């Protein structure tokens, strides 16, 4: 797929999120639901003026600008149109083929094209330099807009052209989490953002093959993919077995040139046993501190005698804890004072108790807004070499906002 700049009008999108209450259903499988929901060409953005005519009467009449002239868009994405008098800038919108009304929702939007003349001049180039879009068929619209301080003119009606775009789907990038506490594996399509500008697959099949017993094969299928849905969970893996993992996408989209993607070799020789297993880029959130902080899933080779640093590498900000050994509490094999100097959520008063029964509890008492203090429990295993492995059970996480904290 050609490289294109992301040139979406995010400010306008935010305004639309407050105003648009419905979206059109289209046949384009590759469209991000968010853009379809908020993407309407709404002249409310532009000083309340309306395109396609003259609003009001008498001294307050507002005349629409002429539509851009001679708009063409060829199969290679080369566009051309002529400018109009009193235009300050132009915008290009990619819409569903049946979105023929100027007020219909759009799917992708360009940045503004500044007017360089007083009308009749030609604007041309590659559409890829204006808009990032996915595979599919579109009705493409270009509108002329007056200066925001121009109270005498309103946006134009649209000049339109049809356009289609095909290409190959990328191979999936898969991450995974084995939750030893409930015996499930969760798989995640980590490159989901790629498919907004290609086409969302119909399904992603992630295959786990037992290295000691090839007959023990588990396929976890992710379906109904969207920007907000790209995970699937299975409880079918054999505990303590070792698996090789592969993945492939499937698509029936007419604009995808390879119905089956290349097969991804996700991992080899992964044992799903008595501790959590998490791949490097598996993303999760505990929703603490406005979603910027999450507890770890797994900490390996923790220094029992000296403590040390373990981090929450999957959080949206870099966050780590420093464990300093203190006198063991009653019932604990080891006790640690927990601190962090990560701003703005510095923790200066936490404790980690490694209990003699192989469980642990980590409490942090700092006011991490909006949840405040929290605690989490888990299991730990002494490796016999002065280190321990810790698995965090996120089902036990409680914050000060929980009634059973």
């Amino acid at each position: 797929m050609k490289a294109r700049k992301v040139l979406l009008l995010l400010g306008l999108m935010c305004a639309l999120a407050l105003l648009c209450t419905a979206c059109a259903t289209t046949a384009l499988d590759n469209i991000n639901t968010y853009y379809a929901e908020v993407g309407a060409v709404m002249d409310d953005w532009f000083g309340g003026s309306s395109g396609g005519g003259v609003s009001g009467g008498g001294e307050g009449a507002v005349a629409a600008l002429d539509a851009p002239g001679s708009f063409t868009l060829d199969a290679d994405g080369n566009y051309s149109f002529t400018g109009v008098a009193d235009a300050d800038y132009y915008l290009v919108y990619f819409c569903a083929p049946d979105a023929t009304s100027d007020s219909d929702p759009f799917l992708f939007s360009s940045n503004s094209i500044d007017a360089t003349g007083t009308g009749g001049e030609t604007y041309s180039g590659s559409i890829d330099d204006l808009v990032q879009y996915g595979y599919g068929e579109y009705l493409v619209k270009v509108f002329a807009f007056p200066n925001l301080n121009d109270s005498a003119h309103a946006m134009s009606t649209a000049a339109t052209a049809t356009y289609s775009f095909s290409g190959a789907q990328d191979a999936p990038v898969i991450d995974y989490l084995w939750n030893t506490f409930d015996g499930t594996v969760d798989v995640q399509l980590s490159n989901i953002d790629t498919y907004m500008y290609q086409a969302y697959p119909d399904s992603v099949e992630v295959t786990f093959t037992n290295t000691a017993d090839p007959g023990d094969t588990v396929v976890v299928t992710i379906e109904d993919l969207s920007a907000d849905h790209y995970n699937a969970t299975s409880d079918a893996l054999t505990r303590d077995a070792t698996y090789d993992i592969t993945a492939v996408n499937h698509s029936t989209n007419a604009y995808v040139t390879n119905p089956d993607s290349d097969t991804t070799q996700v991992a080899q020789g992964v044992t799903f046993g008595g501790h959590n297993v998490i791949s490097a880029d598996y993303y999760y959130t505990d929703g603490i501190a406005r979603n910027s902080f999450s507890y770890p899933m797994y900490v390996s080779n923790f220094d029992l005698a000296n403590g040390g640093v373990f981090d929450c590498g999957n959080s949206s900000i870099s966050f780590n804890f420093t464990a300093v050994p203190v006198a063991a509490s009653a019932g604990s094999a080891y006790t640690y004072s927990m601190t962090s100097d990560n701003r703005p959520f510095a923790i200066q008063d936490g404790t980690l108790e490694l209990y003699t029964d192989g469980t642990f509890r980590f409490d942090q008492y700092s006011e991490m807004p909006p949840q405040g203090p929290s605690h989490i429990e888990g299991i730990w295993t002494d490796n016999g070499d002065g280190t321990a492995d810790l698995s965090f059970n996120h089902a036990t996480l409680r914050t000060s906002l929980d009634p059973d904290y």
Side-chain angles (χ1 to χ4, degrees):
M1 178 176 166
K2 300 176 184 177
R4 290 186 290 266
K5 294 171 64 179
V6 181
L7 297 170
L8 299 172
L9 296 178
L10 295 179
L12 298 182
M13 289 294 195
C14 293
L16 283 168
L18 300 175
L19 296 170
C20 182
T21 58
C23 65
T25 299
T26 77
L28 299 173
D29 295 331
N30 61 314
I31 301 307
N32 182 292
T33 301
Y34 173 76
Y35 293 107
E37 289 176 348
V38 304
V41 181
M42 302 183 70
D43 43 28
D44 299 77
W45 298 342
F46 306 101
S49 62
S50 60
V54 178
S55 65
E59 294 182 2
V62 178
L65 298 177
D66 291 336
S70 304
F71 180 38
T72 60
L73 181 58
D74 68 22
D76 295 322
N78 300 305
Y79 72 89
S80 177
F81 64 88
T82 56
V84 297
D86 298 310
D88 186 58
Y89 61 97
Y90 304 88
L91 291 175
V92 176
Y93 296 94
F94 274 51
C95 305
D98 59 355
T100 55
S101 171
D102 286 355
S103 60
D104 280 340
F106 67 82
L107 303 169
F108 301 96
S109 170
S110 76
N111 65 322
S112 61
I113 305 168
D114 292 336
T116 59
T118 58
E121 67 278 2
T122 298
Y123 299 84
S124 61
S126 172
I127 199 68
D128 290 356
D129 294 332
L130 298 180
V131 187
Q132 190 173 19
Y133 52 92
Y135 303 153
E137 183 177 356
Y138 301 96
L139 180 65
V140 182
K141 304 176 183 179
V142 57
F143 292 86
F145 293 89
N147 187 286
L148 292 177
N149 295 320
D150 182 352
S151 60
H153 296 96
M155 61 182 282
S156 73
T157 56
T160 63
T162 59
Y163 182 62
S164 64
F165 180 50
S166 301
Q169 61 175 327
D170 284 359
V173 176
I174 299 296
D175 282 282
Y176 53 88
L177 169 67
W178 164 255
N179 184 334
T180 190
F181 299 97
D182 63 10
T184 62
V185 64
D186 187 78
V187 295
Q188 181 177 91
L189 183 63
S190 295
N191 62 334
I192 185 67
D193 289 351
T194 298
Y195 303 102
M196 181 195 298
Y197 302 113
Q198 294 182 3
Y200 289 122
D202 296 336
S203 63
V204 182
E205 290 186 352
V206 185
T207 301
F208 295 78
T209 302
N210 190 325
T211 59
D213 178 13
D216 177 17
T217 298
V218 176
V219 178
V220 184
T221 304
I222 312 173
E223 297 179 300
D224 300 321
L225 286 108
S226 71
D228 300 317
H229 179 71
Y230 45 90
N231 289 61
T233 302
S234 173
D235 61 0
L237 295 188
T238 302
R239 183 178 287 273
D240 296 322
T242 299
Y243 289 88
D244 293 338
I245 311 170
T246 60
V248 63
N249 292 344
H250 302 295
S251 177
T252 58
N253 189 300
Y255 298 94
V256 172
T257 57
N258 57 336
D260 300 322
S261 73
D262 291 342
T263 298
T264 299
Q265 300 294 323
V266 178
Q268 291 182 304
V270 182
T271 300
F272 298 102
H275 277 281
N276 291 342
V277 180
I278 185 169
S279 61
D281 294 316
Y282 181 91
Y283 178 79
Y284 65 94
T285 177
D286 288 330
I288 296 176
R290 296 185 175 90
N291 293 325
S292 63
F293 161 72
S294 299
Y295 283 100
M297 286 289 179
Y298 176 66
V299 173
S300 64
N301 299 316
F302 176 71
D303 189 328
L304 290 168
N306 301 305
V309 175
F310 58 85
D311 70 274
C312 303
N314 295 70
S315 298
S316 58
I317 62 171
S318 176
F319 208 101
N320 58 57
F321 299 102
T322 299
V324 177
V326 296
S329 303
S332 293
Y334 301 91
T335 300
Y336 305 88
S337 172
M338 304 295 289
T339 61
S340 174
D341 59 1
N342 296 88
R343 303 294 174 177
F345 306 116
I347 297 174
Q348 303 299 334
D349 53 353
T351 57
L352 173 64
E353 300 283 358
L354 303 187
Y355 299 120
T356 56
D357 65 356
T359 64
F360 72 80
R361 173 164 165 151
F362 176 20
D363 285 86
Q364 69 85 13
Y365 307 111
S366 296
E367 292 295 332
M368 297 177 71
Q371 287 83 1
S374 61
H375 67 255
I376 192 170
E377 300 172 10
I379 57 174
W380 68 283
T381 302
D382 191 328
N383 293 324
D385 60 359
T387 69
D389 296 335
L390 287 72
S391 288
F392 290 69
N393 184 358
H394 287 245
T396 68
L397 173 62
R398 298 292 182 271
T399 75
S400 60
L401 298 182
D402 295 319
D404 58 346
Y405 175 71

